[in-house]
Amino acid sequence: MPGLDLPFVWAGLIAFAVLAYVLLDGFDLGVGLLFPLLKSKRQRDAAMNSVAPVWDGNETWLILGGGGLYAAFPLAYAVLLTALYAPIIAMLIGLVLRGVAFEYRWRTERGRWMWDFAFTFGSLTAAFSQGLTLGALVDGIAIEGRAYAGGWWDWLSPLSVVTGIALVVGYAALGATWLVMKGTEDLEQRARQLATWLCPALLVCIGLISAWMLLMRPEFNARWFAGASIHYVAPVPVLTVMVGLGLLQGLRSGQHVGPFLGTMLLFVLSFIGLAISFYPNLLPPDLSFRAAAAPDKSLSFLLVGAAVLIPLILLYTSYSYWVFRGKVAPDDGYH
């Protein structure tokens, strides 16, 4: 494909897949995180029914992002897995626990408490592990030659722990605003109460992590403030503040859909902020997406498959959300 910057195209596709996963699986992980805070079995049943038709489809984007990274940027994939083996395995265990809970919780009365716990614990493990992974990336991955040069515990740091907590808060805010949109009566009221606390906490977390990143690494600071950069990147923090204020106003005024869209937009703006800080590195501080890319012939061949696969995923994802649109009442059992 002459004239096409294939490494750049593939970096964009993988970034899109990761963002789609964070947005779509983020709210159903958030529903799991909020499970113990819901006040009755009817509320928990309705909450699980609101995500039951779409949760497994949401995880398709994680597979696409991981598979795309392996195929298009094999060096980054090999280093990443070696450096972050423990949190990635923990994330997968958490996702498996959640998946099992979806199937078994409805088949028992006596053991339901156990599957409720598995749903929450799996969601917490997956969300916190993803935050640890993100924090470890921000901290930087040590590479010598073409191999990981760090230690077994390098992923564990004050920043990675705080990032893990921040992502748990963020997913919980996504889950709460999702339930405001999908819940009825007492579930909607309870979700709105939770969102009133969680959304401001999410804004605090975004501000804290952003300031920490800018203070800890001069190269991040330079990408935001050096030369004329500030004129191009300033809209990101300005929009974040505006969206945050709009989100809080939407919750206070009783909106149903606006708070969920506002929370998703906060995640999109945070993701753009991360991309600005990382670019052109795929693995900070030194491995760029061009250095990690597979040969152009391989990228070109893979792009043909992606051109078919990604529209199909978008199509069936959109269709499933359209079919299961609207509010979910406690008795509208999906199972």
Side-chain angles (χ1 to χ4, degrees):
M1 297 183 181
L4 203 58
D5 187 349
L6 291 168
F8 184 80
V9 169
W10 267 104
L13 288 176
I14 289 172
F16 175 74
V18 172
L19 177 59
Y21 169 76
V22 168
L23 293 177
L24 297 180
D25 208 33
F27 72 75
D28 68 56
L29 283 168
V31 169
L33 293 169
L34 298 176
F35 227 50
L37 303 178
L38 301 179
K39 291 187 171 178
S40 68
K41 176 180 173 295
R42 279 173 61 83
Q43 288 187 3
R44 288 188 285 276
D45 287 350
M48 183 172 264
N49 270 328
S50 74
V51 296
V54 295
W55 73 272
D56 47 355
N58 293 342
E59 292 181 356
T60 303
W61 295 102
L62 179 63
I63 298 169
L64 183 65
L69 187 69
Y70 171 74
F73 302 100
L75 176 58
Y77 182 88
V79 171
L80 189 71
L81 255 65
T82 309
L84 301 173
Y85 184 78
I88 289 174
I89 290 297
M91 178 191 72
L92 295 176
I93 291 172
L95 293 177
V96 169
L97 273 177
R98 272 168 41 86
V100 173
F102 268 107
E103 302 303 326
Y104 283 85
R105 180 180 182 276
W106 304 90
R107 305 298 178 193
T108 178
E109 288 292 334
R110 189 172 54 183
R112 177 164 290 163
W113 66 271
M114 181 173 64
W115 299 115
D116 285 353
F117 174 78
F119 187 46
T120 299
F121 184 72
S123 301
L124 179 62
T125 304
F128 187 67
S129 300
Q130 289 173 19
L132 280 177
T133 301
L134 175 60
L137 278 175
V138 173
D139 268 333
I141 305 293
I143 300 174
E144 285 183 10
R146 295 175 62 84
Y148 175 59
W152 172 251
W153 292 98
D154 280 12
W155 52 269
L156 187 60
S157 69
L159 177 61
S160 68
V161 172
V162 171
T163 309
I165 295 170
L167 198 61
V168 168
V169 172
Y171 282 171
L174 267 176
T177 51
W178 165 264
L179 292 177
V180 168
M181 182 175 71
K182 298 291 287 186
T184 59
E185 302 170 352
D186 57 333
L187 175 59
E188 182 199 328
Q189 292 173 10
R190 180 58 179 158
R192 196 176 294 277
Q193 289 173 352
L194 294 169
T196 303
W197 289 95
L198 288 165
C199 291
L202 170 59
L203 289 169
V204 170
C205 289
I206 291 172
L208 175 64
I209 300 294
S210 301
W212 198 333
M213 286 179 62
L214 292 176
L215 291 172
M216 73 175 290
R217 302 196 79 93
E219 63 268 29
F220 290 164
N221 201 306
R223 286 180 191 119
W224 282 86
F225 298 111
S229 298
I230 188 65
H231 299 297
Y232 299 103
V233 300
V236 177
V238 172
L239 284 173
T240 301
V241 172
M242 292 174 64
V243 171
L245 294 175
L247 166 60
L248 299 181
Q249 176 59 27
L251 283 171
R252 279 195 293 268
S253 62
Q255 292 180 13
H256 292 253
V257 179
F260 179 61
L261 297 179
T263 313
M264 292 187 90
L265 194 50
L266 282 180
F267 269 81
V268 172
L269 290 166
S270 300
F271 193 84
I272 292 172
L274 275 174
I276 292 170
S277 300
F278 280 22
Y279 187 85
N281 291 322
L282 202 58
L283 299 183
D286 299 318
L287 185 61
S288 72
F289 67 88
R290 296 192 189 283
D296 273 5
K297 284 187 178 178
S298 300
L299 296 178
S300 179
F301 176 75
L302 292 167
L303 196 58
V304 175
V308 175
L309 190 62
I310 292 176
L312 278 177
I313 297 174
L314 287 171
L315 190 63
Y316 76 67
T317 300
S318 303
Y319 181 70
S320 64
Y321 278 89
W322 172 255
V323 169
F324 294 99
R325 67 190 181 279
K327 295 277 188 180
V328 176
D331 298 325
D332 293 342
Y334 169 75
H335 286 80

